[in-house]
Amino acid sequence: MAPLEASSGKTVRHRLNPGGDRKANSALYTVVISRLRHDPRTQAYMARRTAEGKSKKEIIRCLKRYVARELFAILTAARTSAPVVT
């Protein structure tokens, strides 16, 4: 799920590639919504970004990127530390 440029005019932003795995995008969205409801750090992030003038949609987009980065790091670390079975 590589980021794509989604800028228009003076706005500079990125979004996840829609040509990727739709189930993975759905899972990321579910994780983000769950974090917004239950995780105080994510709620504080939402409040801070809202005060900066970001829309809820833009904030969720940013959070999905953060979750994707976290998961990628976890998955690649697990892959490299797993024993090789022959």
Side-chain angles (χ1 to χ4, degrees), residues 35 41 63 65-75:
R35 283 187 179 189
R41 293 178 307 148
L63 287 169
R65 280 201 314 272
Y66 289 138
V67 170
R69 285 186 201 127
E70 286 179 28
L71 289 175
F72 181 78
I74 291 168
L75 291 173

Side-chain angles (χ1 to χ4, degrees), residues 6-71:
S7 306
S8 63
K10 295 181 182 179
T11 304
V12 177
R13 63 182 173 86
H14 293 81
R15 62 178 173 77
L16 293 176
N17 185 350
D21 188 350
R22 293 176 68 162
K23 288 182 181 179
N25 281 334
S26 176
L28 285 175
Y29 180 79
T30 302
V31 169
V32 167
I33 296 303
S34 177
R35 283 187 179 189
L36 282 171
R37 290 185 183 151
H38 302 290
D39 183 30
R41 293 178 307 148
T42 307
Q43 293 167 353
Y45 177 84
M46 176 76 136
R48 188 177 79 242
R49 298 293 284 200
T50 303
E52 292 174 1
K54 299 286 184 187
S55 71
K56 184 175 180 180
K57 194 173 185 179
E58 289 175 319
I59 296 167
I60 289 173
R61 186 181 302 119
C62 292
L63 287 169
K64 283 174 65 177
R65 280 201 314 272
Y66 289 138
V67 170
R69 285 186 201 127
E70 286 179 28
L71 289 175

